[in-house]
Every structure is written in structure tokens, then in C-alpha cells.
Amino acid sequence: MMSFHSTAAQLVTLAAEGEEHGGNHESLSPYLTGGAAFFILMLLLWITTRFNRDR
């Protein structure tokens, strides 16, 4: 069983390795990702308001 200290140390090591690569994949466009997220949120808002017509 792993102790809390060793688990925390492994997570710190993993986070430090991630900084070297920047965390962004070359094929991910921030505008496409943001636009898709905005569209999905607007769709969910529209669906929610359709179910609440009585208010």
C-alpha cells in the first residue's frame, strides 16, 4: 500500500514533467475547443429553457 507521501511525490514529479511539454497538443485549436464548448453550453441552455416553459 502506498503512503500519502510517496503518492504526493509521484504527483509532483508527474506535474513537473508536464511543464516541459506545455500541455498543449499540436492538433488542438483553442478557438475550435472554445467554440465547441460555447456551442454545447448554449445547446444545453436552450434545452433547459424548453423544459421550463411554464415559468
Side-chain angles (χ1 to χ4, degrees), residues 1-8:
M1 184 176 198
M2 296 176 65
S3 69
F4 179 75
H5 179 73
S6 65
T7 304

Side-chain angles (χ1 to χ4, degrees), residues 34-46:
F38 180 74
F39 175 76
I40 291 169
L41 288 172
M42 290 296 108
L43 180 65
L44 289 172
L45 180 64
W46 181 79

Side-chain angles (χ1 to χ4, degrees), residues 5-24:
H5 179 73
S6 65
T7 304
Q10 286 180 349
L11 288 174
V12 167
T13 304
L14 184 64
E17 290 174 358
E19 289 178 355
E20 298 172 1
H21 303 294
N24 292 331

